Amino acid sequence: MDHELSDLAPAYVRSIAPYQPGKPTSELAREMGMNEHDIVKLASNENPRGIGPRTRAAIDSALKEIARYPDGNGFELKNALSKRYQVPLESIVLGNGSNDVLELVALAFLGPQRAAVYSEHAFAVYPLATQARGARGIVTPAKNYGHDLQAMAAAITDDTHVVFIANPNNPTGTFLPYADIEAFLKRVPERVIVVLDEAYNEYMPPELRIDTARWLKRFRNLVISRTFSKAYGLAGLRVGYALAHPQVADMMNRVRQPFNVNNIALIAATAALDDMEFVARSYAENRTGMQRMEAGFKALGLEWIPSYANFITVRVGPAAEVFKRLLKRGVIVRPVTGYGLPEHLRVSIGTPEENERFLEALALSLKQ
Ligand SMILES: *Cc1c(COP(=O)(O)O)cnc(C)c1O
């Protein structure tokens, strides 16, 4: 008898829409017969600076550790994070990327007969993590492309156990003032875990940024999620972390794989955290690049969503078509139709040269 093998999975797994990653450079090179070095990839919000020399040296020295299992408690990195954010070691959960941290929240606090609230146009991992647990997703309509916190608070049901907030948000780059988030935290019942995903925190202008870690003392249900993938340039190594109440962190650590963060990632992240100058330069170059992109869009008569991150989402009309034309010119950006934005493309801020290449290719791709 022939079954569909996919029917062996529970319905909630079968209904998951696969995550669409940015197209790898090597794949486009193969498809188009291009040289990889001629391709500009602005599709995954990676740091165009790469990594700093100190981090590179730490990685070199870590190679001799490969045959060993990593420290499953990640003591060195946790110690550095604990000092930086003035939180106890017991408040820290390390993840294989902050994606892993988001999954750990879902594993620990969601399940069938439970629900999570997140916004329209919010990060794709929230529905993925929710659905994979057989939990129900409650999606609130966006407001000016960002989160509507009033609507999110109102959407919380008796079976809601988690709320996901991205600030700044991906793929829209929108930012919620901290006072609004604080008011939201005051309003939400303590039985609901509120995940504040701050993957782009380091790209926030210092005059707008506050230390959200100090909220942990007041809001025991808060989970702050951060990553080394963006401003620290370690996307390929996969390392992120959560800051939370020790009891919340304990639950997340129980469902974590014992060695979820590899030893090179641990050593590299510890070194990268110390390299404040690298992060400061990444921030400054991102700002300059952002201004260049905005000027370029303005010159082309395009509308964009003002961004507080290291990417910008621009309205180009027939986005699928423009995306394909850009590919033919060796430029990879990110279509965001899957996020409910069929007329927009998301573009990471690259090096000055990459930004110019993209803007030139975009001008040509809009014409035909
Ligand atoms: C990139 C991103 C992350 C995390 O990525 P990791 O590489 O898994 O750390 C998390 N949240 C948002 C909103 C992101 O854009």
Side-chain angles (χ1 to χ4, degrees):
M1 216 172 60
D2 267 351
H3 308 275
E4 290 296 335
L5 291 174
S6 48
D7 287 344
L8 298 176
Y12 59 79
V13 171
R14 280 181 271 136
S15 66
I16 294 174
Y19 180 78
Q20 306 276 359
K23 199 179 189 60
T25 309
S26 53
E27 189 180 306
L28 183 66
R30 261 196 321 274
E31 284 173 7
M32 301 273 181
M34 290 174 185
N35 186 333
E36 263 192 60
H37 300 289
D38 295 335
I39 293 173
V40 169
K41 185 188 175 211
L42 300 174
S44 302
N45 306 339
E46 295 141 340
N47 191 328
R49 285 180 64 77
I51 56 172
R54 281 206 260 162
T55 305
R56 186 176 301 276
I59 291 173
D60 284 344
S61 75
L63 291 179
K64 61 182 186 303
E65 306 290 335
I66 285 183
R68 305 273 175 206
Y69 278 101
D71 171 4
N73 284 318
F75 177 76
E76 297 285 341
L77 178 55
K78 280 192 187 171
N79 203 28
L81 289 166
S82 160
K83 291 207 174 93
R84 170 71 57 86
Y85 297 111
Q86 299 295 304
V87 295
L89 291 174
E90 298 71 32
S91 279
I92 305 170
V93 182
L94 301 180
N96 186 23
S98 62
N99 243 284
D100 190 23
V101 163
L102 301 171
E103 295 273 354
L104 294 178
V105 171
L107 264 178
F109 297 102
L110 292 177
Q113 276 85 55
R114 291 181 173 221
V117 171
Y118 40 81
S119 174
E120 176 190 21
H121 310 321
F123 189 44
V125 169
Y126 311 152
L128 281 177
T130 302
Q131 287 166 20
R133 293 291 292 127
R136 188 163 52 94
I138 300 174
V139 187
T140 56
K143 188 166 138 192
N144 300 325
Y145 295 110
H147 296 41
D148 180 347
L149 290 178
Q150 304 286 350
M152 291 180 84
I156 292 171
T157 50
D158 287 345
D159 63 349
T160 297
H161 288 262
V162 177
V163 175
F164 290 104
I165 297 172
N167 201 44
N169 183 41
N170 171 18
T172 58
T174 48
F175 159 72
L176 292 161
Y178 292 104
D180 295 359
I181 300 177
E182 195 174 352
F184 177 83
L185 287 165
K186 280 188 195 151
R187 184 173 164 191
V188 170
E190 202 185 60
R191 63 175 175 81
V192 180
I193 299 289
V194 177
V195 179
L196 185 58
D197 178 350
E198 299 189 312
Y200 301 97
N201 178 264
E202 293 81 4
Y203 288 109
M204 290 282 303
E207 66 274 17
L208 285 184
R209 193 179 339 162
I210 66 157
D211 175 18
T212 49
R214 60 166 206 238
W215 281 347
L216 290 167
K217 290 205 184 79
R218 284 164 58 209
F219 304 109
R220 305 194 323 155
N221 53 338
L222 174 64
V223 175
I224 296 168
S225 164
R226 301 267 183 92
T227 185
F228 286 94
S229 296
K230 308 283 160 63
Y232 292 96
L234 298 179
L237 278 181
R238 316 300 305 126
V239 50
Y241 57 95
L243 307 177
H245 187 280
Q247 286 180 31
V248 172
D250 179 27
M251 290 302 116
M252 291 170 66
N253 274 317
R254 290 189 200 193
V255 292
R256 174 176 75 74
Q257 285 182 37
F259 302 110
N260 63 332
V261 185
N262 70 75
N263 46 17
I264 304 213
L266 288 171
I267 290 168
T270 308
L273 190 67
D274 234 12
D275 199 346
M276 307 285 267
E277 194 193 322
F278 178 82
V279 176
R281 283 200 189 169
S282 301
Y283 167 79
E285 287 180 11
N286 184 63
R287 281 217 112 169
T288 313
M290 185 72 78
Q291 284 159 2
R292 176 67 190 105
M293 289 293 199
E294 290 178 344
F297 296 156
K298 202 167 173 191
L300 291 168
L302 298 174
E303 253 175 59
W304 65 90
I305 307 172
S307 171
Y308 293 84
N310 67 341
F311 59 85
I312 184 161
T313 298
V314 59
R315 187 173 203 155
V316 294
E321 195 49 45
V322 176
F323 169 67
K324 273 192 235 151
R325 293 177 196 154
L326 285 168
L327 284 184
K328 289 198 183 121
R329 295 186 165 93
V331 176
I332 313 176
V333 297
R334 184 67 148 266
V336 283
T337 305
Y339 285 92
L341 297 166
E343 300 203 334
H344 288 77
L345 290 174
R346 191 193 72 191
V347 190
S348 308
I349 307 301
T351 62
E353 300 74 37
E354 289 170 333
N355 299 338
E356 294 312 317
R357 270 277 312 274
F358 160 70
L359 287 169
E360 277 165 34
L362 180 64
L364 293 169
S365 302
L366 289 170
K367 282 189 213 133
Q368 62 75 41

